[in-house]
Amino acid sequence: MPVTPRLWAPDWMSTSALPWLQEAIDWGRKKKPLWFEPVFNMKTTDRPYEQYTSFTKFGLMAETDENAPYYEDSPLQGFDVTLTPLQYSLGFKVSRLAYDDDKLGVSRNLASGLGESHTETQNQLAAYIINNGTSSTLVPASDGAALWSTPHLREDGVSFRNRLATAADFNLTSWKTALTDFATQFKSGRGFYQNYVPRTILTHYDTYNDVREVLQSQLKPNTADNNMNAYRDFFGSGDFVLLPPCAYLTDTDSVYLFADKADHGLTYLSREAFNTQTDPEFKTRALLTAAWARYDFGVTNNGLGAYAMIGA
């Protein structure tokens, strides 16, 4: 089969077409922000997969007699989890006749839709982790339990929980319980308190204003007494960040709390950044445009640093 030189292709479909197509694609990507960026650890890799292995540090120091040898300790092996970026792609074709009749209108609209599809795909995949976190089959943590679970395991075999023991709607009582759990349940594999505090709060639209009432009211909400709201000073002071309400959450009465990114395992791993290619189809003169990306979402630890206030 003879080779078709690129210079035979019409100019409108080759190099001169790329800038305005890329501009439209980028505009489509900006239409839908990535809601998960403030929550997930955003990581990149140049390998086909990444394996995450946990292990403990050391236990407590031991009292030692004079001239006695020092006490020796060894780390405990923890849990393994692997993230394997998958390839995602989408493309479209615009005929020469469509271009001639509508000029850039069709191509621009489709190119914008390509960028929008990319961000929508990532937003839904990230939400899948949160929404299905009560299933150990769909979203397992590194210890094999569900992301949101009452019987999580530490490396020393001791159990802990990262969700309310009993489902409850968001209010002052459940909020105090969550803060207590955040402080007391999250320990290292040697039983050391981690002193985590929730930095990011994620809610659905249905619960967003309930959270604001509890955390922003000047006085204690839902009471006739003029008690001071002890949590008001924390909100917006750098301790808590209430994210914009997230429509992708399916459990509309649940609230999710996250420690600093370095302290939890919700992870987005990118192998190949979003990229596009454009080429003319010589036989038909149609313009082919496609986009690719490789990435994965997962939980790389045993649930530490992430907490679910599952609604009743």
Side-chain angles (χ1 to χ4, degrees):
M1 180 177 179
V3 177
T4 303
R6 186 176 180 85
L7 58 85
W8 292 4
D11 288 343
W12 76 276
M13 309 171 85
S14 56
T15 306
S16 62
L18 295 178
W20 57 265
L21 268 178
Q22 190 62 54
E23 179 184 355
I25 292 171
D26 291 342
W27 184 80
R29 293 175 64 189
K30 294 176 182 177
K31 282 181 62 178
K32 289 198 170 183
L34 298 176
W35 70 263
F36 59 89
E37 281 188 327
V39 175
F40 281 66
N41 289 283
M42 308 294 288
K43 297 184 177 182
T44 60
T45 182
D46 58 0
R47 302 194 296 178
Y49 62 88
E50 289 286 347
Q51 186 172 33
Y52 301 84
T53 300
S54 68
F55 60 91
T56 69
K57 297 178 182 177
F58 303 113
L60 296 174
M61 299 181 72
E63 182 179 343
T64 307
D65 293 334
E66 183 177 0
N67 292 327
Y70 63 81
Y71 173 69
E72 187 172 321
D73 195 8
S74 298
L76 300 177
Q77 174 68 41
F79 310 105
D80 297 326
V81 64
T82 301
L83 294 187
T84 304
L86 303 177
Q87 179 173 264
Y88 295 86
S89 66
L90 183 64
F92 65 92
K93 181 194 308 188
V94 177
S95 72
R96 176 60 187 266
L97 296 182
Y99 169 78
D100 285 342
D101 292 344
D102 194 43
K103 298 304 179 184
L104 302 184
V106 173
S107 297
R108 282 191 183 277
N109 287 337
L110 293 177
S112 172
L114 183 61
E116 190 174 347
S117 292
H118 167 67
T119 55
E120 180 67 13
T121 300
Q122 290 195 324
N123 280 335
Q124 291 196 23
L125 289 174
Y128 182 92
I129 301 295
I130 305 292
N131 293 331
N132 295 284
T134 55
S135 169
S136 60
T137 302
L138 300 179
V139 185
S142 62
D143 61 346
L147 168 59
W148 312 123
S149 183
T150 51
H152 271 299
L153 284 178
R154 302 193 321 227
E155 288 83 356
D156 58 4
V158 177
S159 63
F160 71 96
R161 68 175 182 271
N162 69 342
R163 57 173 289 179
L164 292 173
T166 303
D169 291 336
F170 187 90
N171 52 44
L172 274 177
T173 301
S174 62
W175 175 243
K176 288 192 290 186
T177 300
L179 290 184
T180 301
D181 283 350
F182 222 90
T184 60
Q185 290 292 317
F186 293 153
K187 298 180 182 181
S188 72
R190 291 304 187 120
F192 296 178
Y193 287 108
Q194 297 299 88
N195 297 321
Y196 293 158
V197 293
R199 299 296 189 189
T200 306
I201 307 174
L202 181 66
T203 70
H204 187 269
Y205 280 86
D206 282 356
T207 318
Y208 182 75
N209 286 329
D210 295 334
V211 175
R212 291 185 62 195
E213 287 177 4
V214 170
L215 299 184
Q216 287 187 309
S217 296
Q218 220 171 23
L219 302 178
K220 189 174 181 179
N222 301 320
T223 176
D225 300 326
N226 290 327
N227 296 347
M228 178 189 71
N229 182 4
Y231 300 109
R232 177 178 170 81
D233 290 338
F234 290 95
F235 188 87
S237 65
D239 288 335
F240 300 144
V241 176
L242 178 61
L243 295 177
C246 181
Y248 292 94
L249 301 179
T250 54
D251 192 348
T252 60
D253 59 354
S254 292
V255 176
Y256 305 94
L257 313 178
F258 302 94
D260 290 323
K261 287 188 177 184
D263 298 326
H264 70 74
L266 274 70
T267 302
Y268 164 78
L269 181 65
S270 173
R271 174 67 177 85
E272 178 184 2
F274 178 83
N275 64 95
T276 60
Q277 293 186 19
T278 305
D279 271 308
E281 189 175 59
F282 180 75
K283 290 185 177 181
T284 65
R285 301 190 299 169
L287 178 64
L288 307 177
T289 302
W292 288 265
R294 290 175 64 188
Y295 52 85
D296 194 12
F297 290 89
V299 184
T300 59
N301 74 349
N302 58 348
L304 285 176
Y307 189 92
M309 300 177 65
I310 303 298

